[in-house]
């Protein structure tokens, strides 16, 4: 699966917030000014990262976002500097919140892998401590485990099992 | 993002807690903001982050919460909520082993958003879907409670202005607010 990009995230976020598929900046700016103030920061970021500044300034001309955009552009003439600011600042401002949501969404599969890894370690630990064989688990119908995938999981391949399957194994073992 | 995504992330946090926290305790967590509105079934408000007002979740899980975009910053806005909001908190319908999740009630949420004095918070609640679901008798009581706790007359007047706007809009939608 392709990794989520910031541009793709911002585009989707605007659609979700506005309830519309339009990418027309002046329409979205109007919505931000009059009906939906939560659009403001995601829209400025989208304009900054995804569009040409001259186009943006023209489309934001009648909106309060014009000044906001210009300030952002002046503060971060280079996109790398904006990314550094959004990534590293400790202040929880609204631009930072949008970027944090992007990172969280982008890295969701890493979070799942980390959880599966922790569950794998738990399974191995309990199997060892309680002197239970993996074969016994495979025989349990309620766990519905695939033999090849489960052994691969025990060897450290977390892609072979879902989080819920791994979790069900841990819960089952802890009840024994 | 939809309600299912929020529930998946809460479940993920609970599973991590089950794996990492080896005690017999159950912990609890109260969700507010846009996440609460989505969990209460209101679809107009979209949010990607989940705001927590009150939680006794151990600090070993803070990093995981951060990675799941579950934030505890809302705790600084505790003063905007009526005193005994916890009594009206609604359990989130999700099967968990370590953490009980709740949302604040709709009425507590509305009061907190009016008390925040921010345009975007007022926008969140000014819609007919929410207004149709409110217990207005309870809302009035909670409004008095929050006003009593405010620090100065200016804040009280600001709150009353926002509250009256909300009630007026509800009346315009032919909703019984008395």
């Amino acid at each position: 699966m392709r990794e989520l990009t910031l541009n793709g995230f911002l585009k989707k976020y605007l659609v979700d917030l506005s309830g519309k598929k339009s990418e027309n900046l002046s329409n979205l700016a109007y919505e931000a000014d009059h009906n939906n103030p939560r659009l403001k920061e995601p829209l400025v970021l989208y304009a900054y990262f995804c569009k040409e500044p001259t186009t943006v300034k023209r489309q934001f001309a009648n909106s309060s976002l014009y000044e906001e955009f210009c300030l952002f552009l002046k503060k971060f003439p280079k996109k790398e500097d904006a990314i550094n600011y959004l990534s590293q600042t400790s202040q929880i401002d609204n631009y930072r919140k949008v970027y944090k949501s992007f990172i969280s969404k982008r890295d969701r599969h890493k979070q799942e892998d980390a959880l599966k890894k922790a569950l794998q370690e738990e399974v191995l630990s309990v199997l060892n401590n309680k002197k239970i064989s993996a074969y016994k688990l495979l025989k349990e119908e309620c766990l519905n485990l695939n033999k090849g995938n489960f052994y691969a999981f025990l060897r450290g391949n977390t892609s072979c099992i879902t989080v819920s399957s791994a979790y069900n194994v841990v819960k089952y073992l802890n009840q024994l | 993002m939809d309600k299912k995504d929020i529930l998946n992330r809460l479940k993920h946090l609970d599973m991590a807690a089950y794996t990492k926290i080896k005690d017999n305790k159950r912990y609890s967590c109260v969700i507010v903001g846009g996440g609460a509105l989505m969990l209460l079934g209101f679809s107009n408000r979209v949010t990607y982050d989940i705001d927590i007002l009150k939680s006794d979740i151990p600090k070993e899980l803070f990093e995981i919460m951060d990675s799941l975009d579950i934030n505890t910053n809302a705790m600084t806005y505790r003063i905007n909520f009526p005193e005994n909001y916890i009594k009206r908190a609604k359990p989130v319908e999700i099967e968990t082993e370590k953490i009980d999740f709740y949302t604040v009630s709709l009425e507590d949420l509305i009061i907190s958003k009016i008390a925040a004095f921010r345009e975007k918070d007022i926008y969140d609640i000014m819609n007919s879907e929410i207004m149709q679901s409110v217990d207005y008798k309870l809302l009035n009581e909670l409004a008095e409670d929050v006003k009593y706790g405010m620090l100065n007359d200016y804040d009280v007047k600001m709150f009353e202005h926002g509250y009256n706007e909300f009630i007026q809009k509800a009346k315009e939608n032919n909703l019984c607010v008395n």
Side-chain angles (χ1 to χ4, degrees):
Chain A
M1 189 185 268
R2 277 189 302 181
E3 189 171 81
L4 179 67
T5 63
L6 178 57
N7 291 9
F9 169 82
L10 289 169
K11 209 182 265 192
K12 178 74 168 59
Y13 197 11
L14 286 177
V15 169
D16 285 345
L17 280 176
S18 67
K20 297 168 189 169
K21 289 191 177 169
S22 169
E23 288 178 35
N24 184 296
L25 291 183
S26 62
N27 288 346
L28 288 169
Y30 181 87
E31 281 297 305
D33 280 335
H34 295 94
N35 300 321
N36 192 344
R38 290 191 183 275
L39 274 171
K40 182 177 138 192
E41 286 82 13
L43 185 52
V44 168
L45 287 178
Y46 173 71
Y48 174 83
F49 283 106
C50 306
K51 300 291 183 183
E52 287 297 315
T54 42
T55 306
V56 174
K57 285 177 183 176
R58 191 174 62 246
Q59 297 206 317
F60 280 177
N62 297 320
S63 164
S64 68
L65 297 189
Y66 179 88
E67 196 178 329
E68 189 81 20
F69 175 77
C70 289
L71 279 170
F72 200 88
L73 194 61
K74 188 177 176 185
K75 196 172 176 183
F76 307 112
K78 292 181 187 174
K79 290 191 168 55
E80 309 90 79
D81 296 333
I83 296 289
N84 280 337
Y85 170 78
L86 294 169
S87 305
Q88 294 169 18
T89 182
S90 60
Q91 294 170 1
I92 305 297
D93 65 21
N94 288 328
Y95 288 108
R96 170 79 173 92
K97 285 176 79 171
V98 173
Y99 191 77
K100 189 171 177 234
S101 292
F102 159 64
I103 295 295
S104 175
K105 210 165 169 68
R106 183 195 67 185
D107 294 347
R108 199 60 53 83
H109 66 283
K110 288 183 191 171
Q111 296 146 16
E112 280 199 2
D113 284 346
L115 179 58
K116 279 194 263 185
K117 181 75 184 143
L119 290 167
Q120 184 246 7
E121 287 168 6
E122 177 85 0
V123 168
L124 288 174
S125 172
V126 177
L127 284 176
N128 185 48
N129 291 340
K130 292 189 175 181
K131 304 282 187 270
I132 298 169
S133 70
Y135 180 66
K136 179 179 162 56
L137 295 177
L138 287 167
K139 283 173 66 179
E140 281 299 327
E141 282 185 18
C142 63
L143 293 176
N144 194 28
L145 294 171
N146 173 281
K147 182 179 167 185
N149 289 343
F150 185 60
Y151 278 123
F153 167 69
L154 291 179
R155 285 194 299 271
N157 187 343
T158 55
S159 67
C160 294
I161 196 169
T162 63
V163 168
S164 61
S165 289
Y167 182 63
N168 287 340
V169 171
V170 170
K171 280 206 313 183
Y172 174 82
L173 284 170
N174 284 333
Q175 284 162 13
L176 291 178
Chain B
M1 188 179 78
D2 55 16
K3 182 176 173 180
K4 189 179 165 190
D5 180 72
I6 297 181
L7 292 173
N8 283 341
R9 282 150 64 189
L10 297 181
K11 185 77 181 168
H12 183 126
L13 179 60
D14 183 69
M15 286 192 274
Y18 182 77
T19 311
K20 272 178 143 348
I21 311 297
K22 301 296 183 189
D23 60 26
N24 293 324
K25 290 185 193 172
R26 283 192 76 96
Y27 297 92
S28 65
C29 178
V30 181
I31 298 163
V32 295
L37 278 173
M38 290 176 84
L39 288 168
L40 287 169
F42 298 102
S43 55
N44 75 305
R45 170 71 166 93
V46 169
T47 185
Y48 279 14
D49 59 357
I50 300 170
D51 292 321
I52 304 292
L53 178 63
K54 179 180 165 61
S55 157
D56 57 358
I57 292 174
K59 62 178 186 299
E60 292 96 313
L61 294 172
F62 284 1
E63 198 177 326
I64 293 173
M65 287 171 74
D66 199 60
S67 73
L68 292 170
D69 212 5
I70 298 174
N71 309 309
T72 54
N73 298 324
M75 290 179 181
T76 57
Y77 297 102
R78 164 66 186 90
I79 197 167
N80 292 346
F81 286 83
E83 185 66 32
N84 57 353
Y85 72 90
I86 203 81
K87 288 184 183 173
R88 292 176 294 278
K90 313 283 183 199
V92 176
E93 286 171 12
I94 177 177
E95 199 179 306
T96 56
E97 296 292 327
K98 289 295 283 184
I99 306 173
D100 296 315
F101 294 101
Y102 300 87
T103 66
V104 289
S105 73
L106 177 62
E107 291 76 17
D108 286 284
L109 202 53
I110 289 170
I111 293 298
S112 72
K113 284 193 171 284
I114 296 172
F117 306 143
R118 295 184 308 185
E119 192 188 356
K120 60 183 178 181
D121 288 301
I122 300 297
Y123 162 78
D124 288 343
I125 56 175
M126 287 294 199
N127 71 79
S128 55
E129 188 188 17
I130 284 178
M131 287 175 176
Q132 279 164 19
S133 306
V134 175
D135 175 346
Y136 286 94
K137 183 169 180 288
L138 174 60
L139 192 72
N140 278 332
E141 287 170 13
L142 299 184
E144 291 305 313
D145 181 28
V146 157
K147 276 197 300 183
Y148 184 76
M150 284 184 166
L151 294 173
N152 55 62
D153 289 343
Y154 177 77
D155 286 352
V156 171
K157 281 192 170 23
M158 285 277 287
F159 178 82
E160 283 175 343
H161 176 74
Y163 184 70
N164 290 337
E165 265 197 357
F166 180 82
I167 295 297
Q168 183 58 36
K169 182 95 178 175
K171 285 179 180 173
E172 285 169 12
N173 282 283
N174 296 318
L175 293 162
C176 179
V177 301
N178 293 320

